[in-house]
Amino acid sequence: MAETTRKADAAPFDPVQFEVIRNSLNAVCAEMAVVLSKSAYSIAVNEARDFAGTVYDRDGNLAARSEFDLPAFVGVSMSTVPEVLRQVGDEGMEPGDIFMINDPYVASTHCNDIHFIKPIFYQGKRVAFVANTAHWTDVGGAVPGSLNSEARTFYEEGMRIPPVKVFQRDELQDDLVRLLMANMRESWERMGDLRAQCAALQTGDARIQVLIERHGLDAVMASMEETQGYAARMLRAALRKLPDGVYVGEDRIDKDLATGDPVTIRVKAIIEGEHITFDLTENDDAKEYSINATRPATLSGVLCGLGAILPPMPMNGGILRAMELKARPGSLVYAQPPVAISTQASSSVECIIGATMLALSQALPERGAGVYSTILNTTYNGFDSRDGFESPYTFYVWAYGGMGGTLTKDGANTVGTAYAATIQNVPVELQERRYPVLWRRYQLLTDSGGPGRSRGGLALDQVFELPFHSGRMSDFGNRERFGSPGIFGGEPGGLAGLVVQEGTEEQQRLGLNVVNVFLDVGTILHFWSSGGGGYGDSLERSVQRVLEDVMDDYVTIAEARARYGVVVNEIDRRTLQYEIDEGATARLRAEMQRARGQN
């Protein structure tokens, strides 16, 4: 994919001034993020930080991002402002305007991710843009939370919003806002997030004005261009060190809901000198249900995978000067309206990242990694009858899992993934205060990390209750059937799942794609995420590291024996006294190697 405006990757005009301005642009993004997180109403934004804040040059090319930005929005952010420019044009923009868009097919992931864009004018001329993105807990549609795994078109997934002005010449467009709020659940919360996003953009505009006054317009504009040239040079330098070739990675979605069959995502990375092409044209046609990915989301997935394996580099519009994305319109990874797309974030997009990581790991084994877990998403809807609340609510919660193992490190446990690395954990105490739920368990899941020379990270094991009311639940996710893949002989991570009323006659395993399931008062839900994939042969893992895993309750004694070939004897569990039977371990590992056909 070519960049919006191709320019030469020139050297900095003044290295010191460039660094000052480049870091100032990043600081503008960070300050917008702080304003948004401190003033938004929804927990997904003000606590979990499911958002991004960005700066663009006058042509709509992404120039700067915040360290707080959700990685999932990186490719999407490269699409939003160019799309607004394409649809609105120069003549449709004036000082004081703020645009809103969430159209998934051209500028977003799913309808819940709302983007606000503000053109910046200096001395009467448009010189830049600031923008931000936030996940709104509900944007209408057939299902509370708007994430509908059974949707067949976007009409069942919430409002699809083209570029519209929510502020015109600094005046809020009340008619438009009332129309939007009338079609969204808990509209007071949506309105709070809207105002927070717009306030953050006002801050960004003011800071860019100060930057221009301090350094001059030409210097700031040149620095915006140079930040992109710098990113392009860094990617080209990284690619020059890799062997040319075609590297293929595959990951799987558990099932197509229409057929029950698994769906394979295939990414082909073609390295040719200083350029890389990601070819996804061999993927299936779009599916009947909502696992389809939009092109902006597919670009985000590829860039997340690239960022996870290649050396660190700025992720801005300059990256597109050294890479190309090929995808077939109408396919699973390039959905066209009215195909449903709302659950792509925990299905196709996560697998695009996984397949990209697996492909690039072959080209750069020393930075390779097993694939990380998929976030398990659930939404709950009902009426909060507690004193002082007495109102409908929509509760959106997710479960983190394990990262993949690498050459030198085990995968991290229960952290935000490559797709959502900046999301923060929401304390259960806050969730219980805000919503009528009660947590019973929130802990690491033993034996869930994928075995390998470096083990995959552990999943999260959660149990909670609805003690005050009945309600309805929807969930969507992946990795219930196929674990996160390992690499170079590493094994997949543990599987995810969801069970209600566990241990009772009403016990039921619901699966990871259900919609509007009724939950009676007192219903107990047990759900757990998936673990990360391992790196390398588990029989090569050091015996001492396996023993430490047993002592930490990361691995059971039975798992140590069955998957690592290490025989551990328990002396006193309470005081963590264990010992390795070295003779039995040597014999068992030799036997397991022979069974695998290894010498």
Side-chain angles (χ1 to χ4, degrees):
M1 174 180 175
E3 70 281 11
T4 304
T5 303
R6 183 177 293 277
K7 300 176 183 176
D9 302 328
F13 52 90
D14 180 336
V16 174
Q17 186 180 41
F18 165 66
E19 280 298 309
V20 170
I21 297 175
R22 181 177 73 87
N23 283 285
S24 296
L25 292 172
N26 293 338
V28 170
C29 296
E31 187 171 355
M32 287 194 293
V34 170
V35 171
L36 180 53
S37 66
K38 294 294 185 182
S39 54
Y41 280 25
S42 64
I43 282 182
V45 181
N46 62 28
E47 284 290 332
R49 295 183 175 235
D50 193 345
F51 60 62
T54 42
V55 172
Y56 301 76
D57 65 22
R58 66 182 65 173
D59 297 316
N61 300 307
L62 180 63
R65 300 170 60 241
S66 165
E67 63 184 284
F68 304 111
D69 281 8
L70 194 75
F73 295 142
V74 59
V76 172
S77 296
M78 295 178 185
S79 306
T80 50
V81 174
E83 185 61 26
V84 173
L85 273 169
R86 186 185 72 81
Q87 293 196 38
V88 175
D90 292 338
E91 66 283 356
M93 297 183 180
E94 302 175 281
D97 288 351
I98 295 180
F99 295 86
M100 176 184 188
I101 183 173
N102 79 338
D103 188 342
Y105 304 99
V106 293
S108 192
T109 44
H110 43 215
C111 294
N112 296 71
D113 291 330
I114 309 292
H115 312 265
F116 286 81
I117 298 100
K118 189 177 195 301
I120 296 177
F121 290 80
Y122 183 76
Q123 296 181 350
K125 294 182 179 180
R126 194 189 72 236
V127 297
F129 295 87
V130 288
N132 59 38
T133 305
H135 179 104
W136 286 16
T137 303
D138 185 276
V139 289
V143 174
S146 311
L147 302 171
N148 183 357
S149 61
E150 295 182 356
R152 288 180 168 86
T153 68
F154 74 82
Y155 299 108
E156 304 158 70
E157 299 176 316
M159 298 191 72
R160 177 188 175 197
I161 305 168
V164 292
K165 286 185 183 180
V166 290
F167 276 84
Q168 183 169 19
R169 295 183 179 180
D170 293 319
E171 291 292 329
L172 181 66
Q173 302 303 289
D174 289 320
D175 289 348
L176 170 64
V177 172
R178 285 201 304 270
L179 172 64
L180 295 172
M181 296 301 112
N183 286 278
M184 299 180 185
R185 299 170 180 88
E186 288 77 61
S187 60
W188 64 272
E189 188 174 272
R190 309 292 82 75
M191 191 65 199
D193 288 351
L194 182 152
R195 290 188 176 277
Q197 288 184 256
C198 292
L201 295 186
Q202 300 286 8
T203 299
D205 188 342
R207 297 299 179 264
I208 295 292
Q209 300 287 344
V210 170
L211 200 59
I212 293 172
E213 291 290 343
R214 182 174 299 162
H215 295 279
L217 178 61
D218 290 344
V220 173
M221 296 300 100
S223 293
M224 285 188 180
E225 163 54 27
E226 175 53 23
T227 61
Q228 298 172 66
Y230 177 57
R233 293 194 298 275
M234 289 194 71
L235 177 54
R236 289 177 177 140
L239 293 173
R240 282 197 300 269
K241 297 178 181 179
L242 303 181
D244 285 0
V246 179
Y247 304 93
V248 179
E250 293 184 349
D251 201 354
R252 287 181 290 186
I253 303 171
D254 286 338
K255 62 182 177 181
D256 172 359
L257 292 185
T259 64
D261 296 330
V263 178
T264 298
I265 296 289
R266 181 181 175 89
V267 174
K268 188 182 295 183
I270 305 167
I271 300 175
E272 299 172 294
E274 296 182 338
H275 190 270
I276 186 168
T277 299
F278 292 98
D279 187 345
L280 287 80
T281 57
E282 297 177 6
N283 286 287
D284 292 350
D285 291 343
K287 301 301 181 181
E288 182 178 353
Y289 291 94
S290 64
I291 60 173
N292 306 290
T294 62
R295 192 185 191 285
T298 292
L299 177 59
S300 281
V302 166
L303 291 175
C304 285
L306 182 149
I309 302 300
L310 294 190
M313 64 189 72
M315 282 289 172
N316 58 42
I319 292 292
L320 302 184
R321 302 178 186 180
M323 66 162 279
E324 181 180 7
L325 173 65
K326 292 183 177 180
R328 182 169 49 84
S331 68
L332 174 66
V333 297
Y334 196 155
Q336 301 286 284
V339 167
I341 46 77
S342 64
T343 64
Q344 61 179 303
S346 287
S347 55
S348 53
V349 176
E350 296 268 31
C351 288
I352 289 167
I353 301 172
T356 302
M357 291 175 62
L358 293 173
L360 293 177
S361 291
Q362 298 168 43
L364 193 59
E366 62 270 26
R367 288 188 58 88
V371 177
Y372 63 87
S373 68
T374 294
I375 294 177
L376 173 59
N377 299 267
T378 55
T379 57
Y380 305 89
N381 175 259
F383 187 86
D384 188 349
S385 58
R386 294 176 298 169
D387 290 344
F389 290 85
E390 290 101 6
S391 65
Y393 76 93
T394 300
F395 175 36
Y396 172 44
V397 65
W398 49 89
Y400 301 122
M403 296 294 287
T406 66
L407 177 64
T408 59
K409 299 285 186 180
D410 291 338
N413 301 322
T414 61
V415 295
T417 63
Y419 185 77
T422 57
I423 282 186
Q424 295 187 148
N425 180 58
V426 179
V428 296
E429 294 85 359
L430 177 59
Q431 296 178 48
E432 291 175 344
R433 175 69 179 88
R434 179 73 180 272
Y435 301 106
V437 297
L438 178 65
W439 289 90
R440 290 174 170 261
R441 184 161 75 220
Y442 198 89
Q443 64 187 34
L444 298 179
L445 182 60
T446 303
D447 287 344
S448 58
R453 185 168 66 245
S454 295
R455 174 183 42 72
L458 270 61
L460 182 61
D461 187 18
Q462 304 178 84
V463 175
F464 79 94
E465 179 183 354
L466 302 178
F468 306 108
H469 71 99
S470 62
R472 294 193 176 274
M473 179 198 71
S474 301
D475 79 286
F476 69 98
N478 197 32
R479 309 296 188 199
E480 187 177 24
R481 187 174 180 182
F482 305 107
S484 303
I487 194 165
F488 304 135
E491 298 180 46
L495 301 177
L498 189 153
V499 173
V500 296
Q501 301 296 76
E502 189 173 47
T504 71
E505 294 181 356
E506 292 79 33
Q507 177 174 317
Q508 182 182 6
R509 184 155 187 163
L510 293 180
L512 300 187
N513 289 279
V514 295
V515 173
N516 277 341
V517 174
F518 176 74
L519 302 175
D520 206 349
V521 177
T523 297
I524 296 175
L525 298 100
H526 177 198
F527 59 104
W528 58 96
S529 59
S530 51
Y535 183 110
D537 189 342
S538 60
L539 296 182
E540 297 176 2
R541 185 170 179 81
S542 115
V543 171
Q544 183 61 36
R545 292 176 74 185
V546 175
L547 176 61
E548 291 171 358
D549 284 344
V550 171
M551 295 172 67
D552 289 334
D553 280 337
Y554 290 173
V555 173
T556 60
I557 289 177
E559 181 86 349
R561 183 185 187 99
R563 308 295 285 278
Y564 294 94
V566 176
V567 181
V568 180
N569 294 323
E570 179 184 305
I571 299 173
D572 187 339
R573 177 180 175 83
R574 186 180 61 83
T575 58
L576 297 180
Q577 293 188 54
Y578 299 88
E579 66 177 8
I580 300 293
D581 187 327
E582 295 183 359
T585 294
R587 291 190 296 272
L588 179 58
R589 283 192 158 183
E591 180 182 332
M592 293 173 71
Q593 287 171 340
R594 286 193 297 271
R596 297 181 184 181
Q598 300 172 345
N599 295 327

